[in-house]
Amino acid sequence: MRERVLEGLTRTFGRSERPPTVIRAPGRVNLIGEHTDYNDGYVLPMAIDRAIWIALRPSSAPAITIHSLDFDQTDSFALDAIEHATGSWADYVRGVAWALQQHGYPLAGWEGVLAGDVPVGAGLSSSAALEMAVALAFAAVAGWSWDPARMARVGQQAENQWIGVNCGIMDQMISASGTQGHALLIDCRSLEAVAVPLPAGASVVVLDTATRRGLVDSEYNQRRAQCQAAARFFGVTALRDVSPAQLEKASDRLDELIYVRARHVVSENQRVLEACKAMQAGDPAWLGRLLNASHASLRDDFQVSSPELDAIVESAVAQPACCGARMTGAGFGGCAVALVRAGDAPAFGDAVAASYGSRTGLTPRVYVCQSTAGAQVLT
Ligand code: GLA
């Protein structure tokens, strides 16, 4: 990818005396802690070896020109009057520039090319990766230092207010600050992040159901509203502040639907903290059981799974090499994540593809993922 963007830069903009800068910002998979980020709770994602890359050079004009090698499209805009593009990848670039200005960052112009290998729309956060790559491009050109939590907030603001997608902070945080060989325990209230080692002897395998649901945005917003209703009932800022015991005590006074939604969030936060212990102990079987419990909770209490996600998770856990599996990301389609005995991952992928294929008639994609660093400038 590095060569691809460097070569693309010369082809698109010609040769130059000025040395290019190369930036990489990864996609992510969340191991556990789903629908907890917007409840000020805990998440445990890892940055993956699929990323968005930008090669760029500073320009003298206060403007951005960026060419996407994947879409073969070029976008240009002036930094003093940023307007919306056409709802494409270019809007993420403009949205981040706008959000950086809102946060008071001085911006300087550059020209660059963009390419990536994060599958788009699969739930592996290609948009957060693009946002963090663009933010780091601006940081590199203007010379300010990289503050992962602030940059994650910038990306989230671009997503919420410029693009109009109501997401939490997880995807941007992990793309901004991942650690190789580790997942990151992120406290979505304080934005403190602690690297937790992945258990040796286990591989993380992403299973893409090859389904996408149009309803995901409205369902997502509805879940957020239900969580807020539960928090209001308890008189707290967010469900993060409700303990399992408190929730149980209130169970017969709470609306039944609100109760099961809250039960997912409250129990999921506990599972994330326990998952960290399992990882510190280097115990993939323990971690796998937590993944299975998370899936059951997302399917039954939070109701954000789908028949295809359930089918792929069932196909996964039926394999002897599988320690555990669950849907990952917002749900209603997209990907599951499985923890698999290392060495068995390729055969596991084939077996799941065959089993899922015969159950649904769909052809899944399988990605054996390595955990990588977050956004970085490469020399
Ligand atoms: C999407 C959002 C995240 C998070 C997950 C669910 O990926 O972008 O912020 O809320 O859903 O855990």
Side-chain angles (χ1 to χ4, degrees):
M1 289 298 269
R2 186 171 187 279
E3 285 64 42
R4 187 163 172 236
V5 288
L6 278 171
E7 195 262 328
L9 185 70
T10 318
R11 194 163 14 95
T12 312
F13 297 103
R15 295 196 178 277
S16 161
E17 303 282 275
R18 282 173 294 203
T21 301
V22 177
I23 280 157
R24 171 191 180 273
R28 65 96 183 94
V29 59
N30 189 19
L31 296 183
I32 194 162
E34 217 63 81
H35 290 275
T36 45
D37 63 349
Y38 53 80
N39 290 296
D40 282 2
Y42 301 106
V43 293
L44 191 61
M46 71 178 212
I48 59 173
D49 51 342
R50 288 178 167 270
I52 301 290
W53 292 72
I54 297 177
L56 65 100
R57 291 192 295 242
S59 58
S60 33
I64 304 303
T65 302
I66 182 162
H67 178 74
S68 163
L69 294 175
D70 298 325
F71 292 95
D72 193 21
Q73 288 170 351
T74 303
D75 185 50
S76 297
F77 60 95
L79 288 169
D80 61 358
I82 306 174
E83 284 168 12
H84 277 84
T86 48
S88 68
W89 60 272
D91 251 326
Y92 290 89
V93 181
R94 293 177 180 219
V96 168
W98 167 81
L100 283 166
Q101 288 177 340
Q102 298 290 308
H103 279 74
Y105 285 94
L107 304 187
W110 47 272
E111 55 193 24
V113 300
L114 166 74
D117 59 1
V118 193
V120 174
L124 297 179
S125 290
S126 59
S127 56
L130 175 53
E131 288 152 19
M132 292 303 95
V134 170
L136 186 52
F138 279 109
V141 171
W144 28 269
S145 64
W146 184 247
D147 176 337
R150 289 195 71 185
M151 290 303 112
R153 288 269 183 241
V154 163
Q156 187 191 20
Q157 187 180 359
E159 189 95 39
N160 293 169
Q161 293 174 26
W162 191 270
I163 304 290
V165 172
N166 203 9
C167 64
I169 194 75
M170 165 170 71
D171 309 339
Q172 289 79 9
M173 268 299 285
I174 184 63
S175 184
S177 58
T179 305
Q180 190 180 357
H182 294 68
L184 224 54
L185 169 65
I186 302 168
D187 177 332
C188 296
R189 173 168 282 165
S190 67
L191 296 191
E192 270 172 81
V194 181
V196 188
L198 289 161
S203 291
V204 173
V205 182
V206 171
L207 304 163
D208 184 348
T209 59
T211 59
R212 313 279 181 256
R213 287 295 150 82
L215 278 179
V216 55
D217 282 357
S218 58
E219 294 281 351
Y220 187 88
N221 291 338
Q222 196 186 61
R223 294 304 181 282
R224 284 186 78 137
Q226 289 163 340
C227 291
Q228 279 157 8
R232 266 198 309 277
F233 173 89
F234 286 101
V236 294
T237 318
L239 274 179
R240 149 74 174 272
D241 302 308
V242 176
S243 71
Q246 259 176 308
L247 181 66
E248 280 325 301
K249 244 174 102 186
S251 62
D252 48 1
R253 285 180 292 126
L254 251 177
D255 172 85
E256 210 176 312
L257 186 65
I258 301 296
Y259 168 69
V260 292
R261 299 294 192 251
R263 185 166 67 181
H264 164 71
V265 175
V266 170
S267 64
E268 185 80 349
N269 276 326
Q270 302 292 315
R271 280 187 289 273
V272 175
L273 298 176
E274 193 180 332
C276 291
K277 290 187 190 152
M279 286 170 67
Q280 301 287 7
D283 188 337
W286 182 7
L287 180 58
R289 286 194 296 277
L290 292 163
L291 263 57
N292 293 342
S294 170
H295 185 76
S297 178
L298 287 157
R299 181 192 59 208
D300 302 336
D301 279 358
F302 217 61
Q303 296 181 303
V304 291
S305 190
S306 68
E308 293 83 7
L309 280 166
D310 292 343
I312 213 160
V313 166
E314 284 162 25
S315 300
V317 294
Q319 308 304 320
C322 184
C323 305
R326 61 176 207 90
M327 56 151 277
T328 183
F332 302 103
C335 293
V337 60
L339 194 69
V340 180
R341 275 203 310 264
D344 292 333
F348 165 83
D350 292 345
V352 172
S355 155
Y356 177 72
S358 72
R359 286 179 70 160
T360 61
L362 295 163
T363 308
R365 283 187 186 279
V366 179
Y367 307 101
V368 181
C369 291
Q370 309 297 326
S371 151
T372 67
Q376 55 189 328
V377 177
L378 300 167
T379 44

